[in-house]
Amino acid sequence: MLHGAMTPETVFNLSFAIGNADTAGATEPETEQSRYKRLITAELARQSIPIAHMADKLGMLRTKLHKVLRQGAFLSEVLRDKLFAHLGIDHTRATIAVSLLKSDAAYYDQAVFLAAEALKGLYCEAASGRRGAIQVDLRPAIIHTALGRAYEMLLTHQERVLEANRTLLS
């Protein structure tokens, strides 16, 4: 399907999920667990941190961490969260990529970054009730339209900032 056919109701369908080239030839079954492991391994590589050094930082046996990340041993939520903290992996963004989009590679997609930050901001506003809680039932279309307008405002602001930077550099 083309992106023009994507709607808020279909965006998380597998046909729209961002593909993951890493799964070709994978020996481990495709699970959330395996996608989290690939995300962690990719981030270790991106930051040039050997698994042995990460194991030392975590105070665990090097062979244990190697077995978890490379040989199919179970990755506990506690260990996953410790790795996320040490590597600076955003939990919300990772969950959107791995659980909803079924792709560890989607973590690095700008749209996933924006979705995660928007979700965190929106949830914070709704949970804190600083300006009062919304008491009426809202149709999804109203929420989608409001968020679309907010996105358009962000793009307009970005254009202004980029233009101001170009003006300053001239």
Side-chain angles (χ1 to χ4, degrees), residues 134-170:
I134 296 175
Q135 299 293 324
V136 297
D137 289 335
L138 295 174
R139 293 186 185 134
I142 293 170
I143 297 167
H144 301 157
T145 300
L147 290 174
R149 289 181 182 166
Y151 188 75
E152 287 297 323
M153 287 183 352
L154 284 172
L155 290 175
T156 301
H157 177 70
Q158 175 180 264
E159 288 175 16
R160 289 180 183 153
V161 168
L162 291 174
E163 182 58 35
N165 286 344
R166 278 192 292 271
T167 303
L168 288 173
L169 292 176
S170 305

Side-chain angles (χ1 to χ4, degrees), residues 59-111:
M60 65 185 298
L61 293 174
R62 293 175 174 197
T63 55
K64 170 73 173 160
L65 186 57
H66 187 272
K67 285 178 182 176
V68 168
L69 294 179
R70 299 262 169 90
Q71 295 178 356
F74 181 72
L75 172 66
S76 69
E77 288 184 24
V78 172
L79 178 56
R80 181 196 65 204
D81 292 346
K82 284 181 182 178
L83 286 163
F84 279 12
H86 280 286
L87 293 169
I89 295 174
D90 182 88
H91 202 288
T92 305
R93 192 166 143 198
T95 301
I96 290 171
V98 167
S99 297
L100 293 176
L101 295 174
K102 309 280 189 242
S103 169
D104 52 285
Y107 179 84
Y108 300 101
D109 189 289
Q110 185 66 17

Side-chain angles (χ1 to χ4, degrees), residues 39-51 54 69 87:
L39 174 59
I40 291 164
T41 302
E43 194 58 26
L44 283 167
R46 192 185 72 76
Q47 294 183 30
S48 302
I49 301 173
I51 290 177
M54 182 54 66
L69 294 179
L87 293 169

